[in-house]
Amino acid sequence: MIETFTYEALPIRVRFGRGTIAEAGAEVARLGAGRALVLTTPQQAAEGERLRALLGPAFSGLFPGATMHTPVEVTEAALSALKDAGADCIVALGGGSTTGLGKALALRTGLPQLVIPTTYAGSEMTPILGETREGRKTTIRSLDVLPEAVIYDVDLTVGLPPALSATSGVNAIAHAVEALYARDRNPVISLMAEDGIRTLSSALPILIHEPANMEARTKALYGAWLCGCCLGAVGMALHHKLCHTLGGTFNLPHAETHTIVLPHAVAYNAPAAPEAMAAITRALGAPDAAQGLFDLVRALRVPRALSEIGMPASGIEAAADIAVENPYWNPRPVTRDGIRDLIARAYAGERPSAASRAEEAA
């Protein structure tokens, strides 16, 4: 039965294919701009320089200083570079860190953005910005940070190392998972979410063994686009709140944190979201949503414990305190004891416990 719902399509132009980065100059012109500041991380500075030829006279400078969690001090440095370059638009080339910096600049300047993703992060499809100030990460949702145009070029993802392909892809899956039990979910986004999970979960194991497999690369990027659309269209819940808390507080790598926490957050919410769990199990081809996600992460040979990516054991209690400071919607009530246990399991890399979920549901 279809219930009453609201669906709002976001105004983003998307160009998807192979070799589509060649159209960067035309997309900048379509934005009505003529001087683009290119953003990258330090590791992708060379790729940013290659955009000089594609943009021609529209290339006004390169800022290769993007970093994870979008610290405000980096944004301030980029603002200075933007003014020095006399730029009238922003071109962000890279993953979620670079896209986040572009959004932070757009929020402060009102300039249009062209995003060219090289990972499966999905941030390019959302009106969401997460910024970190003094070790605390906060998020806003505003159309002021929504990119005007996105170029998806499958060829740009071929160089992604297998481990980064895996964690970036599971990070994308997390967007779709939470969209299935979002408070403002709707049938359109639920269809995209289930297909995004199905497409990515089938492509990622192939990419671990065959990183140059173009069919799998195309499916993965397409799935990431679907999952990004989900993130942009509906609200998120426990998983994203918790990952922002952990990442911002302990400076943990974004995609790896999402990858580790996701099965545990799903296990926590499973008793309160049976329809979402059914969709996830269909998409994964697994008998249980949380167990299936844990097995996917294990098959991808990436870290399964927060202890492996730099979180201190002393942080379990502190993270639980922060996570429950500000009440937020979640399909299952958020309790400190429950979140503390969730974080402890994720810290140790333990398998989500189906037995404990059954007891909690009783």
Side-chain angles (χ1 to χ4, degrees), residues 158 160 162 203-217:
V158 175
L160 270 178
L204 294 178
I206 296 173
L207 294 179
I208 291 298
H209 303 287
E210 303 174 45
N213 185 310
M214 293 311 297
E215 181 179 358
R217 284 286 176 197

Side-chain angles (χ1 to χ4, degrees), residues 226-252:
L226 290 174
C227 294
C229 289
C230 296
L231 176 64
V234 298
M236 298 287 106
L238 171 64
H239 171 78
H240 282 76
K241 169 75 173 182
L242 190 52
C243 288
H244 284 167
T245 295
L246 294 168
T249 303
F250 305 107
N251 199 36
L252 304 181

